[in-house]
Amino acid sequence: MKVLIVGSGGREHAIAWAVSKSAKADKIYCAPGNAGIEEYAECVNIGAMEFDKLVAFAKEKEIDLTIIGMDDPLVGGVVDAFEAEGLRVFGPRKNAAIIEGSKAFSKDLMKKYNIPTAEYENFDSDEAALAYLETAKFPIVLKADGLALGKGVLICNTLEEAKDGVKTIMEDKKFGDAGNRMVIEEFMTGREVSVLAFCDGKTIKCMTSAQDHKRAKDGDQGLNTGGMGTFSPSPFYTDEVKEFCEKYIYQPTMDAMKAEGRDFTGILFVGLMLTDDGPKVLEYNARFGDPEAQVVLPRMENDIIDVIDACIDGRLSEIELSFEDNAAVCVVLASDGYPEHYEKGKLIKGLENFEGKDKEGYYAFHAGTKKTDEGIVTNGGRVIGITAKGANLKEARANAYRATEWVDFENKYMRHDIGKAIDEA
Ligand code: AMP
Ligand code: GLY
């Protein structure tokens, strides 16, 4: 079959790699893709938000299955656009992707269906938000309602900081229209775990767990980023935690969406915080995590197309998900200065060291890269995710850091403590 993948990051590279392993995929396209994805897929120069062009391309090439990797097109209704033309597509419709597209929606959903999450209030005006803060407890968390590249969350330690935060989100519109509404939420403490799940509208099947490192610098210092590295599985996601989440979070979320007439088909990403009061939902996303996908998919034993087909056809209950009994660590190589100002266009050396290495459990998943006449150059903040597997987390971490030395570019930057938390487990 012919498969089209929509997106251009490390997540889409990991998806393209998994699809390339499927016995069912004869030809893979990716829009717009990147220099690494070209190894398995024909990249086409269509943007992820150009729905008409994507649909026209899928019709022209007689694509059998389109997989949407990114949040923006999902929230914007790309799945509805494909379905309207009778095209087979994997991802939630617009009315279900709102679970990521509006934090106010997802908080109200959790409240209505008793799904554990932090206490909160939603606000449509800055006056009301400011008035609420006067009697609030600190630290407190401010969240822009809409999509903000993972950056629309402000943790404020004092009333002054929080007032500035409301101004940043609602008046200065730092996150654009995402800040037309906001959520003010109780601050929670605990370990974070990311759980990704396949969903068919009624059944939800979770993949192995992972943990992201969102801050730019070692020791969880610096600004929030899209994610600087991941490990899988999380040793903090015990059987007990898993059982609690299955009972009170995963299936209840599926049932809640169904009850609201918003059947969720696609990948549900549940961001959890393991608090002293038990696991609570930090956020939902409507797609694979990036860079969570880069440690979860290499460990998956199923043929990804089989699972996706089962989701689209409502047969997920028939599928048994299975993961290797090992571990994986992904260290993101970024451009120095990310997530703020950084230079692009630096030649990347050593990529050939990863050729054929996936069989040994080493991967270079491209995020911001571009092919030029001189070779492959950096083209973004997050450049490449170096993933390695190992018998256990310690071994995977040592392997991943060793492999980070196989590639080089001028302003290469990485965290040196990805997976360090494992030592405390
Ligand atoms: P989100 O995009 O909602 O996952 O938030 C981004 C990051 O902000 C999370 O990964 C947490 O590290 C942090 N965060 C979000 N909500 C809270 C909260 N209620 N309490 C503490 N930290 C939070
Ligand atoms: N790594 C977090 C995310 O994909 O949103």
Side-chain angles (χ1 to χ4, degrees):
M1 70 200 272
K2 293 187 204 166
V3 180
L4 168 65
I5 298 165
V6 175
S8 61
R11 164 184 49 214
E12 285 74 23
H13 192 172
I15 295 170
W17 172 82
V19 170
S20 79
K21 297 281 155 219
S22 167
K24 292 190 174 159
D26 306 310
K27 170 86 185 162
I28 310 173
Y29 295 92
C30 190
N34 64 36
I37 294 173
E38 277 181 30
E39 192 184 327
Y40 324 103
E42 187 176 327
C43 293
V44 283
N45 192 18
I46 303 175
M49 295 307 287
E50 296 182 290
F51 297 177
D52 290 348
K53 286 189 188 170
L54 289 171
V55 166
F57 179 84
K59 279 181 157 173
E60 182 203 321
K61 298 288 181 190
E62 298 179 323
I63 300 289
D64 300 293
L65 169 66
T66 299
I67 303 169
I68 312 295
M70 294 171 68
D71 41 4
D72 281 23
L74 288 169
V75 170
V78 71
V79 167
D80 308 61
F82 272 70
E83 285 183 346
E85 296 294 327
L87 294 162
R88 196 166 163 86
V89 58
F90 181 58
R93 292 181 188 140
K94 185 175 183 171
N95 77 348
I98 190 175
I99 199 165
E100 170 166 10
S102 167
K103 290 192 190 284
F105 168 86
S106 74
K107 294 299 293 189
D108 286 346
L109 184 86
M110 287 186 269
K111 187 187 223 172
K112 182 167 171 189
Y113 293 92
N114 287 315
I115 296 167
T117 188
E119 295 293 328
Y120 75 102
E121 293 281 340
N122 295 335
F123 296 94
D124 289 310
S125 82
D126 53 347
E127 291 92 5
L130 290 168
Y132 174 84
L133 287 174
E134 293 293 340
T135 56
K137 272 199 284 182
F138 294 87
I140 203 157
V141 185
L142 311 185
K143 298 187 175 186
D145 178 51
L147 294 180
L149 293 169
K151 291 167 193 152
V153 175
L154 305 176
I155 294 172
C156 303
N157 288 307
T158 64
L159 177 60
E160 282 315 303
E161 264 182 53
K163 282 181 171 170
D164 280 351
V166 170
K167 185 169 176 294
T168 304
I169 293 173
M170 293 198 108
E171 282 178 47
D172 305 346
K173 291 271 185 307
K174 178 155 179 209
F175 310 108
D177 285 344
N180 290 345
R181 297 178 83 188
M182 65 180 290
V183 176
I184 301 187
E185 183 174 278
E186 167 203 8
F187 177 76
M188 302 187 287
T189 51
R191 298 257 174 216
E192 287 185 39
V193 182
S194 302
V195 177
L196 313 178
F198 287 97
C199 307
D200 73 357
K202 30 183 209 300
T203 302
I204 178 164
K205 295 237 164 154
C206 291
M207 294 174 237
T208 181
S209 61
Q211 186 184 317
D212 190 10
H213 299 63
K214 290 213 168 81
R215 301 291 202 94
K217 298 191 174 153
D218 283 11
D220 289 331
Q221 302 296 308
L223 294 172
N224 258 326
T225 69
M228 294 300 293
T230 37
F231 60 84
S232 169
S234 164
F236 308 105
Y237 188 71
T238 59
D239 286 346
E240 192 191 349
V241 171
K242 185 168 166 241
E243 273 165 34
F244 179 94
C245 295
E246 280 167 353
K247 193 163 172 199
Y248 297 105
I249 295 177
Y250 307 139
Q251 193 62 47
T253 302
M254 290 304 287
D255 297 345
M257 290 297 277
K258 196 162 185 40
E260 296 290 312
R262 298 173 183 274
D263 301 24
F264 190 99
T265 300
I267 302 293
L268 184 70
F269 169 141
V270 185
L272 297 167
M273 190 171 266
L274 310 182
T275 74
D276 288 344
D277 298 332
K280 294 189 182 179
V281 178
L282 274 173
E283 63 161 347
Y284 292 113
N285 293 317
R287 35 91 194 159
F288 279 103
D290 189 349
E292 282 88 344
Q294 289 92 309
V295 285
V296 168
L297 289 175
R299 298 185 54 230
M300 190 164 89
E301 292 174 323
N302 304 74
D303 180 321
I304 191 170
I305 302 279
D306 283 345
V307 186
I308 288 177
D309 274 341
C311 289
I312 297 175
D313 297 334
R315 303 182 277 103
L316 185 60
S317 60
E318 296 168 13
I319 297 273
E320 186 86 46
L321 286 184
S322 127
F323 288 82
E324 292 171 359
D325 183 19
N326 57 9
V329 169
C330 172
V331 179
V332 171
L333 304 183
S335 304
D336 196 11
Y338 172 71
E340 289 188 294
H341 310 288
Y342 52 84
E343 290 177 20
K344 302 197 254 188
K346 309 289 184 194
L347 189 66
I348 307 172
K349 287 173 245 158
L351 285 168
E352 65 283 359
N353 292 323
F354 285 90
E355 273 167 27
K357 280 281 191 188
D358 60 328
K359 291 179 199 74
E360 294 169 40
Y362 292 91
Y363 313 78
F365 291 121
H366 292 224
T369 65
K370 194 170 87 178
K371 218 175 207 166
T372 68
D373 291 343
E374 285 75 48
I376 294 177
V377 301
T378 65
N379 191 42
R382 292 193 291 180
V383 179
I384 303 175
I386 303 293
T387 294
K389 294 199 279 201
N392 53 45
L393 283 164
K394 274 195 177 152
E395 199 178 297
R397 186 170 69 172
N399 291 344
Y401 274 106
R402 188 150 30 80
T404 62
E405 290 167 20
W406 302 348
V407 279
D408 202 20
F409 51 91
E410 211 177 284
N411 55 346
K412 174 178 159 187
Y413 172 83
M414 65 180 143
R415 275 182 62 161
H416 290 88
D417 61 349
I418 302 301
K420 201 158 172 246
I422 302 161
D423 300 340
E424 297 154 29

